[in-house]
Amino acid sequence: AFFAQHGIHDVECLFADISGYPRGKLMPAANFAVGGELRICQAIAMQAVTGDYSYDPVFPDADPDVRLVPDYSTLQLAPWASTPRALAIHDCVEMDGAPCVFAPRSLLKSVVARYAAQGLTPVVAPEIEFYLTAPNHDPAHVLQPPALRGGRGEVGQSAFSLNLLNALAPFWDEFRTALRTLGVQTDTWIHEVGSSQFEINLMHGDPVAVADQAFLFKYAAKEIALKHGLNAVFMAKPIAGAAGSSMHLHQSVVNAQGRNIFSAEDGTEAPALQHFIAGLQTYLPDVMLVFAPFTNSYRRYVAGSQAPVNLQWGYENRTTALRVPTSGPAARRVENRVAGADANPYLAIAASLAAGLAGMNEQLVATPPIADSGYNHP
């Protein structure tokens, strides 16, 4: 009925690869509607954004199939399509019915299940930064800001400018409509520090649902930007000397009664908060390639740039890797500022939540919080 209502002929059956890039197949809507089986090479989940991937030791050399199983709650219209088309995010499932353990969405689900086994539910909200640039036909040339309403490109020093947030209104209008169509729940939209750099915050929620939204957010931004003669760039450091782009992750944990376990019943800070922080401090080095997956990713970590250069933490301190914002007891949370905008949201959220849970389970002890600049510390 949905397909008939909208005249849908095809469905994008997609999932995120290891880089967070959308992969999958286009399936006739009639086949999708009757539950037609769809398969793909198991190895595609480990394909990198370059198109390369390794067969050893993650998956068998034989490269068997997995089934693509749709999550019907993600079925939406594809707002960038030139003809009516739908999309649905799929899980990669082995032929014996087990989840493909290295598929990013499956891995995040497994981490969330660890919390559920202890009667806990993690809550996550990402902040995603990106640049809008002019078309670039030669990767050897520096990216340039697009021409704005007055005919010139932005020259910088326009952080939080509402004039420049309005300057590309046709793109923003269509992008906002696209996100609404996709069910991506956004909070604030701002112009960031860099020239034509922007940040959009997603609403907090279930980690898998939020990761789905972040995945579709990046897909939609790139597609809608191209329709307006722009490039949406999620590199961590696309322009030398300019601000880098991050994906900050706000994280909290609630118990079966819905109470934030980072807060005690009287509203004061509970020990779980610092155990969670200690887990991040202890285990983030082991998963750093998840938060910074490319050579370019490491160019973002520059002292004095509000990008972290260590694993210090503090209250209301944006110079640290881990920040505890001022909030009421129900919203007490940890902001992980390590991940770049180029990180796969499924893997970044999974890694951060896994490290925090390990810290709580092992009762790890965090370093003392710092109140001065994080760049003064090792």
Side-chain angles (χ1 to χ4, degrees):
F2 175 78
F3 292 162
Q5 176 187 354
H6 296 283
I8 302 297
H9 295 287
D10 301 296
V11 181
E12 293 188 12
C13 302
L14 71 158
F15 61 95
D17 68 12
I18 193 172
S19 301
Y21 190 82
R23 307 279 181 187
K25 295 184 177 183
L26 196 63
M27 188 178 197
N31 291 358
F32 183 92
V34 297
E37 184 176 75
L38 188 63
R39 300 183 183 184
I40 201 166
C41 307
Q42 184 199 55
I44 299 300
M46 284 294 288
Q47 190 170 2
V49 72
T50 59
D52 300 318
Y53 50 87
S54 169
Y55 284 99
D56 179 58
V58 181
F59 40 81
D61 289 342
D63 191 11
D65 278 348
V66 291
R67 292 188 297 116
L68 293 183
V69 177
D71 181 338
Y72 290 106
S73 70
T74 68
L75 181 65
Q76 306 285 356
L77 296 175
W80 46 78
S82 57
T83 59
R85 178 184 290 178
L87 66 81
I89 296 175
H90 287 56
D91 285 307
C92 297
V93 178
E94 303 288 359
M95 301 307 292
D96 64 2
C100 178
V101 294
F102 53 80
R105 195 171 192 258
S106 299
L107 194 148
L108 175 56
K109 283 184 172 183
S110 72
V111 173
V112 173
R114 295 183 206 170
Y115 279 82
Q118 300 181 36
L120 301 173
T121 302
V123 180
V124 179
E127 302 174 351
I128 305 175
E129 296 176 337
F130 65 102
Y131 278 83
L132 289 174
T133 75
N136 180 275
H137 304 292
D138 186 344
H141 289 176
V142 176
L143 295 170
Q144 298 291 337
L148 303 179
R149 290 175 294 186
R152 296 181 180 178
E154 185 187 332
V155 294
Q157 307 303 316
S158 299
F160 296 91
S161 166
L162 289 177
N163 293 99
L164 289 175
L165 191 61
N166 295 331
L168 296 169
F171 163 78
W172 292 116
D173 290 345
E174 185 170 355
F175 186 41
R176 186 180 294 107
T177 300
L179 295 181
R180 190 177 300 117
T181 298
L182 292 168
V184 177
Q185 300 178 36
T186 64
D187 191 10
T188 53
W189 302 49
I190 65 171
H191 188 296
E192 260 293 351
V193 173
S195 296
S196 293
Q197 185 191 30
F198 303 91
E199 175 185 289
I200 299 178
N201 300 338
L202 304 192
M203 295 294 290
H204 64 274
D206 170 79
V208 178
V210 168
D212 287 341
Q213 292 181 42
F215 168 57
L216 292 176
F217 175 99
K218 295 170 79 170
Y219 188 7
K222 294 174 183 178
E223 290 289 335
I224 303 301
L226 289 170
K227 292 177 65 175
H228 291 269
L230 304 166
N231 280 330
V233 179
F234 290 88
M235 293 175 68
K237 194 75 168 181
I239 302 170
S245 291
S246 63
M247 182 174 62
H248 297 159
L249 300 174
H250 291 254
Q251 305 152 100
S252 58
V253 180
V254 299
N255 61 18
Q257 290 72 46
R259 183 179 63 81
N260 187 338
I261 68 169
F262 293 163
S263 298
E265 290 189 5
D266 62 0
T268 60
E269 180 182 305
L273 176 70
Q274 294 204 25
H275 293 320
F276 191 95
I277 291 171
L280 295 174
Q281 290 184 313
T282 300
Y283 292 111
L284 288 194
D286 294 333
V287 290
M288 193 63 194
L289 287 173
V290 168
F291 299 106
F294 308 111
T295 302
N296 176 266
S297 307
Y298 296 86
R299 296 173 181 159
R300 172 175 156 257
Y301 302 118
V302 177
S305 68
Q306 292 199 350
V309 296
N310 52 46
L311 287 175
Q312 299 290 344
W313 77 279
Y315 299 99
E316 271 306 343
N317 193 336
R318 286 186 169 84
T319 69
T320 58
L322 307 170
R323 168 178 170 256
V324 177
T326 300
S327 68
R332 185 170 273 121
R333 61 194 185 274
V334 179
E335 179 190 19
N336 180 346
R337 300 171 61 84
V338 176
D342 53 351
N344 179 326
Y346 295 99
L347 296 181
I349 292 171
S352 195
L353 291 178
L357 183 62
M360 293 190 296
N361 288 342
E362 298 169 23
Q363 300 283 285
L364 298 179
V365 178
T367 63
I370 63 172
D372 61 335
S373 173
Y375 304 114
N376 297 332
H377 296 261

